[in-house]
Amino acid sequence: MKDVSGIREGATVRFVMDIRAGKTIVASETFTYRKDSDYYASYNGTGTTLKAKAVYKGRFATVVYSGEASALFLKVSGTYAYNAKIQYRKGSYTPWKTTGHIVNVTAGIPEMVNISEVGGISPGDHFRFVMDIVAGNKNVIANEYFVYKKDITTIAKYDCKGTTLNCSIKYNGLAAYSPVDFICDGVDRQEAYRNYSIYSSTSTGLPIGGCVRIKNHSLADVMKFVNDGRIASIVSEKSGSKTRITTYASGPKKTGEGHIWFMDKNYDCYEEDVILHGDLSKEQTTSYSSSNPNIIYISWNDKALGGDPFLRSITAKGQFADFFKLFGFVSGLQNGRRVYHTIVDCIQRKFGYCDLYDEAFNYGTNMMREKFEFTSQGQRYIFWTWKGHYLNLGAGAEMGFYRFVKRMSLKDLTDKIMQGVNDFFKEYARFALPKLPLTEAVIKASIKKTLSLVATKSYYDYYESDDKTPVMPMTLTIKGKGTLPNQICRYAPREPQWWITSFVPQLQGVNPKDTVAEYTVQFNQSQKQLFDDFMKVRFPNWSGDRNKLTLVHTF
């Protein structure tokens, strides 16, 4: 009616047809014209030119009421993309208002639109989904409308498919998901590698029938990989006797890969390698428990290495203790969790430290580091601290104390590392251990390739901690932020240390920014000059007690 000039809203209208070479037929039904009505009258013209009639077929709705909902779940099947909009109104006879573009939905990357975040829509309003095809049809309107109910967790699901000029909106019904708010502490989009984390805003976590919602962010925008792959939705569902976490991840590149970890309320972790399958997403699932302890922490990164279930199982159970001790690792239980530390006289002492090791560490997995170098009596010393995800050893932190020895070439350092791999496999062969998933040749080739990729210098300052390097009593406490354990572990060995460490295999994939490491160093009276020279530099986040000759550092 709006396309017929002269007809105003509220007018009485009826259908008239002129038969070509016949007579004029006037329908007996009349209607009141309402500009924004959802209904249309349907007629069939039947008969011959001299004996014809207009048969009224009834009144039909262009959009139908389909229930109460609080969000839309939108997905593309095909190769096009669209911009989602929302139409809303206050009641059946008020005009529809249309929002601007809310979110762009590309092939394979589902999106969730929470109506509570769409300005202008109030509880009780009607709303419906409208899409604009990129380089195609505009204002394609879904056939369903819903009443917005703020305090429910019902999501209307749509699958959009076809081509840019021949597209369709398929309504897949209402699903009762419970969006659970997770917290993201911010995203640095300039990082060369993505490695972030989110944790639930309460201790409840993500229950069965729940989906992740990040406060003030789009899930797909936050959970991105370096080559623009995205994790666009995370849903917890029941699958038989197990809980299943479903993620949607997509390209656009077909070679992308990342890792995502889920931690439940028991602090047990489940890893999923996320493969980016090009434009179309792959629905990936992880069955993680026979019960439902709920997910409280999720982290992800696209570093080169994820966790290995084989090695993680060995370390978490404390198996092959004699072999681990040969390489300086001993373990015990704290707060029901296995914790590893290194002993003073460990094989790692032979290899010293330099920036090249950190470059390889940061390429392979998720880490943060600090360096505090100073000079005392003509000798350069350095406190070096780390915290991060140590693969099968889990969440951990370290602090080493070294003295500068010399400059070493990249070739000499590579040879030194290769000798360490040789020594490892010689000792490994002496023990009745399970077969490693990687051979010596593969590991050497991988290390050499990694070093060639990450090395930023031809020569590196090389530090050691040997008999000429002072050792001091040290302690290390690791605490968690958010929903991570308040105190992950504490280590206070009696023997003076040059390198103090703690690793917790149970806590996998933990982002280092979500842990706080606190170190203490106790100097003796003969080391007072060393203490004083360090204090002169006034390093940040260090405090010292001159009477007790004690340093405390928080990282």
Side-chain angles (χ1 to χ4, degrees):
M1 294 294 106
K2 67 180 180 181
D3 297 326
V4 182
S5 62
I7 301 180
R8 296 183 178 181
E9 190 168 18
T12 299
V13 296
R14 62 182 178 181
F15 173 44
V16 180
M17 70 177 182
D18 288 342
I19 308 299
R20 183 173 298 177
K23 62 180 181 177
T24 297
I25 304 296
V26 179
S28 60
E29 300 81 16
T30 60
F31 308 91
T32 299
Y33 169 46
R34 292 194 179 275
K35 181 179 179 181
D36 292 294
S37 173
D38 295 329
Y39 293 93
Y40 66 93
S42 178
Y43 282 89
N44 277 355
T46 65
T48 63
T49 56
L50 297 178
K51 189 179 181 180
K53 58 183 176 178
V55 179
Y56 176 54
K57 303 296 293 185
R59 191 178 71 149
F60 297 90
T62 55
V63 291
V64 295
Y65 173 64
S66 296
E68 297 175 335
S70 57
L72 297 174
F73 180 79
L74 309 173
K75 190 171 68 167
V76 171
S77 295
T79 57
Y80 69 91
Y82 64 87
N83 289 307
K85 301 186 294 188
I86 300 293
Q87 283 190 346
Y88 63 98
R89 64 185 182 183
K90 297 299 178 184
S92 298
Y93 298 109
T94 59
W96 289 99
K97 297 180 180 179
T98 305
T99 68
H101 292 159
I102 296 173
V103 65
N104 177 261
V105 185
T106 57
I109 305 178
E111 293 283 357
M112 190 90 72
V113 176
N114 295 302
I115 303 304
S116 63
E117 298 171 2
V118 180
I121 304 181
S122 303
D125 289 356
H126 299 174
F127 73 92
R128 63 184 180 183
F129 167 46
V130 181
M131 70 175 181
D132 285 348
I133 308 300
V134 175
N137 291 339
K138 306 296 181 183
N139 293 315
V140 182
I141 301 175
N143 290 328
E144 302 78 26
Y145 77 87
F146 310 90
V147 171
Y148 169 46
K149 205 73 177 289
K150 182 178 181 180
D151 297 321
I152 61 173
T153 57
T154 303
I155 297 170
K157 299 164 66 177
Y158 281 95
D159 187 10
C160 306
K161 58 184 178 180
T163 62
T164 55
L165 297 178
N166 182 19
C167 53
S168 64
I169 300 175
K170 181 182 178 182
Y171 175 55
N172 292 321
L174 296 173
Y177 287 133
S178 186
V180 178
D181 283 332
F182 275 64
I183 295 171
C184 175
D185 287 337
V187 177
D188 179 4
R189 302 194 186 284
Q190 302 303 313
E191 275 198 356
Y193 290 88
R194 268 72 166 190
N195 45 102
Y196 302 121
S197 55
I198 53 178
Y199 50 83
S200 59
S201 56
T202 69
S203 60
T204 303
L206 177 64
I208 289 177
C211 59
V212 171
R213 178 175 62 195
I214 301 180
K215 284 187 172 180
N216 304 319
H217 287 286
S218 161
L219 185 67
D221 285 343
V222 171
M223 304 185 77
K224 294 180 70 174
F225 292 123
V226 68
N227 56 4
D228 292 326
R230 306 184 195 182
I231 297 172
S233 73
I234 300 174
V235 176
S236 178
E237 299 172 296
K238 195 72 174 176
S239 177
S241 63
K242 293 190 174 183
T243 301
R244 183 178 69 189
I245 296 291
T246 302
T247 64
Y248 288 89
S250 65
K253 296 185 178 179
K254 294 183 179 180
T255 57
E257 183 173 345
H259 317 282
I260 184 168
W261 289 268
F262 305 99
M263 184 183 294
D264 65 27
K265 292 181 69 174
N266 298 326
Y267 303 116
D268 292 324
C269 298
Y270 309 89
E271 183 196 357
E272 183 175 286
D273 289 332
V274 177
I275 310 298
L276 307 181
H277 293 265
D279 287 337
L280 296 181
S281 71
K282 180 174 176 62
E283 181 179 313
Q284 300 177 160
T285 59
T286 301
S287 294
Y288 73 92
S289 178
S290 58
S291 60
N292 180 30
N294 297 11
I295 298 298
I296 60 170
Y297 181 83
I298 302 171
S299 67
W300 68 101
N301 68 53
D302 50 8
K303 297 302 181 77
L305 301 174
D308 185 281
F310 169 77
L311 296 176
R312 185 168 66 229
S313 174
I314 288 175
T315 50
K317 294 176 182 177
Q319 296 176 309
F320 310 112
D322 290 342
F323 175 74
F324 275 87
K325 189 172 183 179
L326 180 68
F327 291 93
F329 292 98
V330 294
S331 72
L333 294 176
Q334 280 190 38
N335 302 320
R337 293 182 286 272
R338 184 160 297 279
V339 180
Y340 282 79
H341 311 288
T342 48
I343 59 178
V344 174
D345 189 21
C346 59
I347 193 172
Q348 290 89 334
R349 199 168 189 178
K350 297 179 181 179
F351 294 94
Y353 214 81
C354 65
D355 285 332
L356 177 63
Y357 299 173
D358 276 353
E359 289 168 353
F361 183 13
N362 190 46
Y363 176 82
T365 187
N366 200 354
M367 62 89 78
M368 293 173 66
R369 72 158 188 181
E370 299 175 309
K371 296 164 63 177
F372 305 96
E373 188 166 10
F374 68 104
T375 300
S376 182
Q377 298 178 305
Q379 173 67 57
R380 287 166 55 188
Y381 293 100
I382 189 168
F383 281 106
W384 216 315
T385 64
W386 304 266
K387 61 180 181 177
H389 172 218
Y390 290 79
L391 303 177
N392 60 295
L393 284 171
E398 319 163 70
M399 180 170 68
F401 183 66
Y402 305 89
R403 66 182 184 89
F404 173 75
V405 177
K406 59 182 176 180
R407 299 265 289 168
M408 284 186 69
S409 69
L410 176 60
K411 179 183 182 305
D412 289 343
L413 285 168
T414 303
D415 291 342
K416 197 175 188 70
I417 295 171
M418 292 302 106
Q419 184 58 51
V421 176
N422 287 339
D423 294 344
F424 173 83
F425 274 92
K426 284 179 183 178
E427 295 299 335
Y428 192 87
R430 292 174 47 212
F431 289 80
L433 298 168
K435 186 178 180 180
L436 279 175
L438 297 175
T439 66
E440 180 177 355
V442 170
I443 289 176
K444 284 184 174 180
S446 178
I447 291 175
K448 286 181 178 179
K449 181 180 179 181
T450 298
L451 294 180
S452 69
L453 290 171
V454 304
T456 59
K457 308 171 188 174
S458 299
Y459 286 84
Y460 288 84
D461 286 355
Y462 176 74
Y463 302 81
E464 282 186 349
S465 189
D466 54 16
D467 294 340
K468 299 178 182 179
T469 310
V471 293
M472 295 82 76
M474 300 179 182
T475 69
L476 169 58
T477 302
I478 305 177
K479 300 179 179 180
K481 298 180 182 177
T483 45
L484 292 175
N486 182 48
Q487 180 160 302
I488 294 173
C489 62
R490 175 172 170 76
Y491 184 43
R494 295 181 180 179
E495 187 176 8
Q497 306 286 304
W498 66 274
W499 181 38
I500 188 166
T501 69
S502 291
F503 311 100
V504 187
Q506 184 185 7
L507 304 183
Q508 288 290 318
V510 173
N511 193 316
K513 74 177 180 62
D514 295 325
T515 62
V516 176
E518 184 178 274
Y519 314 87
T520 68
V521 184
Q522 178 66 62
F523 295 79
N524 60 36
Q525 203 60 39
S526 67
Q527 298 165 338
K528 185 176 184 303
Q529 186 63 51
L530 196 68
F531 173 90
D532 289 339
D533 290 334
F534 180 85
M535 290 296 292
K536 289 176 185 177
V537 185
R538 298 183 182 276
F539 289 111
N541 299 322
W542 285 84
S543 61
D545 187 323
R546 295 185 182 278
N547 294 323
K548 297 181 179 179
L549 298 181
T550 302
L551 293 176
V552 178
H553 176 53
T554 302
F555 179 22

PDB file of all heavy atoms in Angstrom, residues 181-208:
ATOM      1  N   ASP A 181      29.628 -14.333  32.081  1.00  0.00           N
ATOM      2  CA  ASP A 181      30.604 -13.277  31.859  1.00  0.00           C
ATOM      3  C   ASP A 181      32.008 -13.734  32.235  1.00  0.00           C
ATOM      4  O   ASP A 181      32.250 -14.236  33.333  1.00  0.00           O
ATOM      5  CB  ASP A 181      30.247 -12.040  32.694  1.00  0.00           C
ATOM      6  CG  ASP A 181      29.112 -11.255  32.066  1.00  0.00           C
ATOM      7  OD1 ASP A 181      28.975 -11.319  30.836  1.00  0.00           O
ATOM      8  OD2 ASP A 181      28.364 -10.597  32.802  1.00  0.00           O
ATOM      9  N   PHE A 182      32.932 -13.528  31.299  1.00  0.00           N
ATOM     10  CA  PHE A 182      34.351 -13.707  31.567  1.00  0.00           C
ATOM     11  C   PHE A 182      35.028 -12.348  31.459  1.00  0.00           C
ATOM     12  O   PHE A 182      34.515 -11.441  30.803  1.00  0.00           O
ATOM     13  CB  PHE A 182      34.970 -14.697  30.569  1.00  0.00           C
ATOM     14  CG  PHE A 182      34.818 -16.135  30.973  1.00  0.00           C
ATOM     15  CD1 PHE A 182      33.573 -16.717  31.077  1.00  0.00           C
ATOM     16  CD2 PHE A 182      35.931 -16.913  31.264  1.00  0.00           C
ATOM     17  CE1 PHE A 182      33.414 -18.039  31.452  1.00  0.00           C
ATOM     18  CE2 PHE A 182      35.798 -18.244  31.643  1.00  0.00           C
ATOM     19  CZ  PHE A 182      34.539 -18.812  31.744  1.00  0.00           C
ATOM     20  N   ILE A 183      36.152 -12.219  32.114  1.00  0.00           N
ATOM     21  CA  ILE A 183      36.859 -10.941  32.177  1.00  0.00           C
ATOM     22  C   ILE A 183      38.112 -11.017  31.328  1.00  0.00           C
ATOM     23  O   ILE A 183      38.874 -11.977  31.407  1.00  0.00           O
ATOM     24  CB  ILE A 183      37.226 -10.595  33.636  1.00  0.00           C
ATOM     25  CG1 ILE A 183      35.948 -10.374  34.457  1.00  0.00           C
ATOM     26  CG2 ILE A 183      38.102  -9.349  33.692  1.00  0.00           C
ATOM     27  CD1 ILE A 183      36.193 -10.243  35.940  1.00  0.00           C
ATOM     28  N   CYS A 184      38.312  -9.997  30.501  1.00  0.00           N
ATOM     29  CA  CYS A 184      39.535  -9.865  29.725  1.00  0.00           C
ATOM     30  C   CYS A 184      40.236  -8.599  30.195  1.00  0.00           C
ATOM     31  O   CYS A 184      39.623  -7.530  30.228  1.00  0.00           O
ATOM     32  CB  CYS A 184      39.221  -9.780  28.230  1.00  0.00           C
ATOM     33  SG  CYS A 184      40.659  -9.476  27.198  1.00  0.00           S
ATOM     34  N   ASP A 185      41.509  -8.719  30.556  1.00  0.00           N
ATOM     35  CA  ASP A 185      42.218  -7.570  31.120  1.00  0.00           C
ATOM     36  C   ASP A 185      42.742  -6.606  30.063  1.00  0.00           C
ATOM     37  O   ASP A 185      43.473  -5.679  30.370  1.00  0.00           O
ATOM     38  CB  ASP A 185      43.398  -8.048  31.980  1.00  0.00           C
ATOM     39  CG  ASP A 185      42.905  -8.655  33.283  1.00  0.00           C
ATOM     40  OD1 ASP A 185      41.788  -8.322  33.684  1.00  0.00           O
ATOM     41  OD2 ASP A 185      43.623  -9.462  33.880  1.00  0.00           O
ATOM     42  N   GLY A 186      42.375  -6.822  28.827  1.00  0.00           N
ATOM     43  CA  GLY A 186      42.829  -5.922  27.765  1.00  0.00           C
ATOM     44  C   GLY A 186      43.594  -6.679  26.705  1.00  0.00           C
ATOM     45  O   GLY A 186      44.177  -7.731  26.959  1.00  0.00           O
ATOM     46  N   VAL A 187      43.598  -6.139  25.502  1.00  0.00           N
ATOM     47  CA  VAL A 187      44.213  -6.808  24.363  1.00  0.00           C
ATOM     48  C   VAL A 187      45.222  -5.878  23.709  1.00  0.00           C
ATOM     49  O   VAL A 187      44.887  -4.770  23.302  1.00  0.00           O
ATOM     50  CB  VAL A 187      43.134  -7.224  23.342  1.00  0.00           C
ATOM     51  CG1 VAL A 187      43.771  -7.846  22.117  1.00  0.00           C
ATOM     52  CG2 VAL A 187      42.151  -8.198  23.973  1.00  0.00           C
ATOM     53  N   ASP A 188      46.464  -6.316  23.632  1.00  0.00           N
ATOM     54  CA  ASP A 188      47.501  -5.573  22.934  1.00  0.00           C
ATOM     55  C   ASP A 188      47.580  -6.104  21.507  1.00  0.00           C
ATOM     56  O   ASP A 188      48.181  -7.137  21.241  1.00  0.00           O
ATOM     57  CB  ASP A 188      48.847  -5.740  23.643  1.00  0.00           C
ATOM     58  CG  ASP A 188      49.980  -5.007  22.930  1.00  0.00           C
ATOM     59  OD1 ASP A 188      49.694  -4.320  21.934  1.00  0.00           O
ATOM     60  OD2 ASP A 188      51.133  -5.131  23.361  1.00  0.00           O
ATOM     61  N   ARG A 189      46.962  -5.409  20.578  1.00  0.00           N
ATOM     62  CA  ARG A 189      46.873  -5.927  19.215  1.00  0.00           C
ATOM     63  C   ARG A 189      48.179  -5.776  18.447  1.00  0.00           C
ATOM     64  O   ARG A 189      48.279  -6.179  17.294  1.00  0.00           O
ATOM     65  CB  ARG A 189      45.737  -5.220  18.473  1.00  0.00           C
ATOM     66  CG  ARG A 189      44.407  -5.390  19.180  1.00  0.00           C
ATOM     67  CD  ARG A 189      43.243  -4.996  18.304  1.00  0.00           C
ATOM     68  NE  ARG A 189      41.985  -5.026  19.026  1.00  0.00           N
ATOM     69  CZ  ARG A 189      41.332  -6.125  19.330  1.00  0.00           C
ATOM     70  NH1 ARG A 189      41.824  -7.291  18.988  1.00  0.00           N
ATOM     71  NH2 ARG A 189      40.192  -6.074  19.994  1.00  0.00           N
ATOM     72  N   GLN A 190      49.189  -5.179  19.064  1.00  0.00           N
ATOM     73  CA  GLN A 190      50.469  -5.034  18.377  1.00  0.00           C
ATOM     74  C   GLN A 190      51.408  -6.205  18.644  1.00  0.00           C
ATOM     75  O   GLN A 190      52.491  -6.273  18.077  1.00  0.00           O
ATOM     76  CB  GLN A 190      51.147  -3.721  18.822  1.00  0.00           C
ATOM     77  CG  GLN A 190      50.309  -2.480  18.565  1.00  0.00           C
ATOM     78  CD  GLN A 190      49.922  -2.347  17.111  1.00  0.00           C
ATOM     79  OE1 GLN A 190      50.752  -2.498  16.227  1.00  0.00           O
ATOM     80  NE2 GLN A 190      48.650  -2.082  16.856  1.00  0.00           N
ATOM     81  N   GLU A 191      51.024  -7.122  19.513  1.00  0.00           N
ATOM     82  CA  GLU A 191      51.904  -8.251  19.805  1.00  0.00           C
ATOM     83  C   GLU A 191      52.129  -9.095  18.569  1.00  0.00           C
ATOM     84  O   GLU A 191      51.220  -9.321  17.773  1.00  0.00           O
ATOM     85  CB  GLU A 191      51.297  -9.141  20.902  1.00  0.00           C
ATOM     86  CG  GLU A 191      51.614  -8.658  22.294  1.00  0.00           C
ATOM     87  CD  GLU A 191      51.392  -9.767  23.310  1.00  0.00           C
ATOM     88  OE1 GLU A 191      50.920 -10.852  22.922  1.00  0.00           O
ATOM     89  OE2 GLU A 191      51.727  -9.545  24.450  1.00  0.00           O
ATOM     90  N   ALA A 192      53.351  -9.599  18.420  1.00  0.00           N
ATOM     91  CA  ALA A 192      53.658 -10.462  17.277  1.00  0.00           C
ATOM     92  C   ALA A 192      52.904 -11.771  17.371  1.00  0.00           C
ATOM     93  O   ALA A 192      52.511 -12.353  16.367  1.00  0.00           O
ATOM     94  CB  ALA A 192      55.157 -10.714  17.218  1.00  0.00           C
ATOM     95  N   TYR A 193      52.701 -12.246  18.603  1.00  0.00           N
ATOM     96  CA  TYR A 193      51.939 -13.478  18.822  1.00  0.00           C
ATOM     97  C   TYR A 193      50.825 -13.182  19.808  1.00  0.00           C
ATOM     98  O   TYR A 193      51.020 -12.493  20.795  1.00  0.00           O
ATOM     99  CB  TYR A 193      52.833 -14.598  19.379  1.00  0.00           C
ATOM    100  CG  TYR A 193      53.812 -15.132  18.390  1.00  0.00           C
ATOM    101  CD1 TYR A 193      55.061 -14.552  18.248  1.00  0.00           C
ATOM    102  CD2 TYR A 193      53.488 -16.207  17.581  1.00  0.00           C
ATOM    103  CE1 TYR A 193      55.961 -15.040  17.322  1.00  0.00           C
ATOM    104  CE2 TYR A 193      54.386 -16.698  16.655  1.00  0.00           C
ATOM    105  CZ  TYR A 193      55.620 -16.115  16.531  1.00  0.00           C
ATOM    106  OH  TYR A 193      56.513 -16.600  15.615  1.00  0.00           O
ATOM    107  N   ARG A 194      49.672 -13.742  19.552  1.00  0.00           N
ATOM    108  CA  ARG A 194      48.586 -13.580  20.505  1.00  0.00           C
ATOM    109  C   ARG A 194      48.773 -14.602  21.618  1.00  0.00           C
ATOM    110  O   ARG A 194      49.041 -15.769  21.365  1.00  0.00           O
ATOM    111  CB  ARG A 194      47.231 -13.834  19.841  1.00  0.00           C
ATOM    112  CG  ARG A 194      46.569 -12.606  19.287  1.00  0.00           C
ATOM    113  CD  ARG A 194      47.238 -12.090  18.039  1.00  0.00           C
ATOM    114  NE  ARG A 194      46.383 -11.117  17.371  1.00  0.00           N
ATOM    115  CZ  ARG A 194      46.651 -10.655  16.171  1.00  0.00           C
ATOM    116  NH1 ARG A 194      47.701 -11.035  15.526  1.00  0.00           N
ATOM    117  NH2 ARG A 194      45.831  -9.775  15.624  1.00  0.00           N
ATOM    118  N   ASN A 195      48.665 -14.192  22.812  1.00  0.00           N
ATOM    119  CA  ASN A 195      48.576 -15.120  23.946  1.00  0.00           C
ATOM    120  C   ASN A 195      47.866 -14.392  25.068  1.00  0.00           C
ATOM    121  O   ASN A 195      48.443 -13.575  25.746  1.00  0.00           O
ATOM    122  CB  ASN A 195      49.947 -15.655  24.381  1.00  0.00           C
ATOM    123  CG  ASN A 195      51.021 -14.602  24.479  1.00  0.00           C
ATOM    124  OD1 ASN A 195      51.368 -14.139  25.544  1.00  0.00           O
ATOM    125  ND2 ASN A 195      51.566 -14.194  23.345  1.00  0.00           N
ATOM    126  N   TYR A 196      46.597 -14.731  25.223  1.00  0.00           N
ATOM    127  CA  TYR A 196      45.747 -14.033  26.163  1.00  0.00           C
ATOM    128  C   TYR A 196      44.979 -15.028  27.020  1.00  0.00           C
ATOM    129  O   TYR A 196      45.097 -16.238  26.848  1.00  0.00           O
ATOM    130  CB  TYR A 196      44.748 -13.129  25.419  1.00  0.00           C
ATOM    131  CG  TYR A 196      45.399 -12.117  24.537  1.00  0.00           C
ATOM    132  CD1 TYR A 196      45.138 -12.081  23.176  1.00  0.00           C
ATOM    133  CD2 TYR A 196      46.293 -11.199  25.059  1.00  0.00           C
ATOM    134  CE1 TYR A 196      45.754 -11.147  22.359  1.00  0.00           C
ATOM    135  CE2 TYR A 196      46.907 -10.268  24.251  1.00  0.00           C
ATOM    136  CZ  TYR A 196      46.637 -10.243  22.901  1.00  0.00           C
ATOM    137  OH  TYR A 196      47.236  -9.319  22.092  1.00  0.00           O
ATOM    138  N   SER A 197      44.175 -14.484  27.880  1.00  0.00           N
ATOM    139  CA  SER A 197      43.389 -15.341  28.765  1.00  0.00           C
ATOM    140  C   SER A 197      42.177 -14.562  29.247  1.00  0.00           C
ATOM    141  O   SER A 197      42.150 -13.336  29.237  1.00  0.00           O
ATOM    142  CB  SER A 197      44.235 -15.779  29.962  1.00  0.00           C
ATOM    143  OG  SER A 197      44.776 -14.645  30.623  1.00  0.00           O
ATOM    144  N   ILE A 198      41.170 -15.302  29.666  1.00  0.00           N
ATOM    145  CA  ILE A 198      39.983 -14.729  30.291  1.00  0.00           C
ATOM    146  C   ILE A 198      39.607 -15.625  31.459  1.00  0.00           C
ATOM    147  O   ILE A 198      39.898 -16.825  31.445  1.00  0.00           O
ATOM    148  CB  ILE A 198      38.797 -14.616  29.299  1.00  0.00           C
ATOM    149  CG1 ILE A 198      38.518 -15.967  28.636  1.00  0.00           C
ATOM    150  CG2 ILE A 198      39.050 -13.552  28.258  1.00  0.00           C
ATOM    151  CD1 ILE A 198      37.323 -15.958  27.682  1.00  0.00           C
ATOM    152  N   TYR A 199      39.014 -15.054  32.477  1.00  0.00           N
ATOM    153  CA  TYR A 199      38.574 -15.862  33.603  1.00  0.00           C
ATOM    154  C   TYR A 199      37.179 -15.400  34.028  1.00  0.00           C
ATOM    155  O   TYR A 199      36.796 -14.253  33.843  1.00  0.00           O
ATOM    156  CB  TYR A 199      39.559 -15.813  34.776  1.00  0.00           C
ATOM    157  CG  TYR A 199      39.993 -14.437  35.205  1.00  0.00           C
ATOM    158  CD1 TYR A 199      39.223 -13.672  36.070  1.00  0.00           C
ATOM    159  CD2 TYR A 199      41.206 -13.907  34.760  1.00  0.00           C
ATOM    160  CE1 TYR A 199      39.627 -12.424  36.458  1.00  0.00           C
ATOM    161  CE2 TYR A 199      41.621 -12.646  35.148  1.00  0.00           C
ATOM    162  CZ  TYR A 199      40.831 -11.919  36.001  1.00  0.00           C
ATOM    163  OH  TYR A 199      41.230 -10.656  36.393  1.00  0.00           O
ATOM    164  N   SER A 200      36.420 -16.338  34.575  1.00  0.00           N
ATOM    165  CA  SER A 200      35.029 -16.039  34.905  1.00  0.00           C
ATOM    166  C   SER A 200      34.973 -14.973  35.996  1.00  0.00           C
ATOM    167  O   SER A 200      35.824 -14.914  36.876  1.00  0.00           O
ATOM    168  CB  SER A 200      34.292 -17.300  35.346  1.00  0.00           C
ATOM    169  OG  SER A 200      34.904 -17.877  36.477  1.00  0.00           O
ATOM    170  N   SER A 201      33.931 -14.140  35.911  1.00  0.00           N
ATOM    171  CA  SER A 201      33.805 -13.038  36.865  1.00  0.00           C
ATOM    172  C   SER A 201      33.374 -13.518  38.245  1.00  0.00           C
ATOM    173  O   SER A 201      33.493 -12.788  39.222  1.00  0.00           O
ATOM    174  CB  SER A 201      32.798 -12.008  36.338  1.00  0.00           C
ATOM    175  OG  SER A 201      31.554 -12.627  36.067  1.00  0.00           O
ATOM    176  N   THR A 202      32.872 -14.744  38.331  1.00  0.00           N
ATOM    177  CA  THR A 202      32.532 -15.339  39.624  1.00  0.00           C
ATOM    178  C   THR A 202      33.166 -16.724  39.692  1.00  0.00           C
ATOM    179  O   THR A 202      33.698 -17.227  38.708  1.00  0.00           O
ATOM    180  CB  THR A 202      31.011 -15.481  39.803  1.00  0.00           C
ATOM    181  OG1 THR A 202      30.525 -16.483  38.893  1.00  0.00           O
ATOM    182  CG2 THR A 202      30.301 -14.167  39.532  1.00  0.00           C
ATOM    183  N   SER A 203      33.086 -17.347  40.838  1.00  0.00           N
ATOM    184  CA  SER A 203      33.663 -18.684  41.001  1.00  0.00           C
ATOM    185  C   SER A 203      32.772 -19.770  40.405  1.00  0.00           C
ATOM    186  O   SER A 203      33.156 -20.931  40.371  1.00  0.00           O
ATOM    187  CB  SER A 203      33.895 -18.974  42.485  1.00  0.00           C
ATOM    188  OG  SER A 203      32.667 -18.913  43.197  1.00  0.00           O
ATOM    189  N   THR A 204      31.598 -19.381  39.907  1.00  0.00           N
ATOM    190  CA  THR A 204      30.674 -20.363  39.342  1.00  0.00           C
ATOM    191  C   THR A 204      31.211 -20.985  38.068  1.00  0.00           C
ATOM    192  O   THR A 204      31.141 -22.183  37.849  1.00  0.00           O
ATOM    193  CB  THR A 204      29.310 -19.711  39.051  1.00  0.00           C
ATOM    194  OG1 THR A 204      28.806 -19.143  40.252  1.00  0.00           O
ATOM    195  CG2 THR A 204      28.325 -20.735  38.517  1.00  0.00           C
ATOM    196  N   GLY A 205      31.787 -20.153  37.201  1.00  0.00           N
ATOM    197  CA  GLY A 205      32.342 -20.653  35.962  1.00  0.00           C
ATOM    198  C   GLY A 205      31.289 -20.934  34.915  1.00  0.00           C
ATOM    199  O   GLY A 205      30.126 -20.548  35.041  1.00  0.00           O
ATOM    200  N   LEU A 206      31.711 -21.602  33.849  1.00  0.00           N
ATOM    201  CA  LEU A 206      30.844 -21.894  32.705  1.00  0.00           C
ATOM    202  C   LEU A 206      30.145 -23.228  32.907  1.00  0.00           C
ATOM    203  O   LEU A 206      30.786 -24.272  32.881  1.00  0.00           O
ATOM    204  CB  LEU A 206      31.689 -21.934  31.423  1.00  0.00           C
ATOM    205  CG  LEU A 206      30.971 -22.286  30.122  1.00  0.00           C
ATOM    206  CD1 LEU A 206      29.944 -21.218  29.771  1.00  0.00           C
ATOM    207  CD2 LEU A 206      31.982 -22.445  28.995  1.00  0.00           C
ATOM    208  N   PRO A 207      28.814 -23.230  33.103  1.00  0.00           N
ATOM    209  CA  PRO A 207      28.097 -24.481  33.359  1.00  0.00           C
ATOM    210  C   PRO A 207      27.650 -25.143  32.065  1.00  0.00           C
ATOM    211  O   PRO A 207      27.760 -24.565  30.979  1.00  0.00           O
ATOM    212  CB  PRO A 207      26.883 -24.015  34.160  1.00  0.00           C
ATOM    213  CG  PRO A 207      26.586 -22.658  33.562  1.00  0.00           C
ATOM    214  CD  PRO A 207      27.931 -22.064  33.204  1.00  0.00           C
ATOM    215  N   ILE A 208      27.146 -26.350  32.188  1.00  0.00           N
ATOM    216  CA  ILE A 208      26.512 -26.998  31.033  1.00  0.00           C
ATOM    217  C   ILE A 208      25.345 -26.131  30.567  1.00  0.00           C
ATOM    218  O   ILE A 208      24.573 -25.615  31.360  1.00  0.00           O
ATOM    219  CB  ILE A 208      26.021 -28.405  31.412  1.00  0.00           C
ATOM    220  CG1 ILE A 208      27.216 -29.337  31.615  1.00  0.00           C
ATOM    221  CG2 ILE A 208      25.097 -28.972  30.354  1.00  0.00           C
ATOM    222  CD1 ILE A 208      26.848 -30.720  32.070  1.00  0.00           C
TER     223      ILE A 208
END
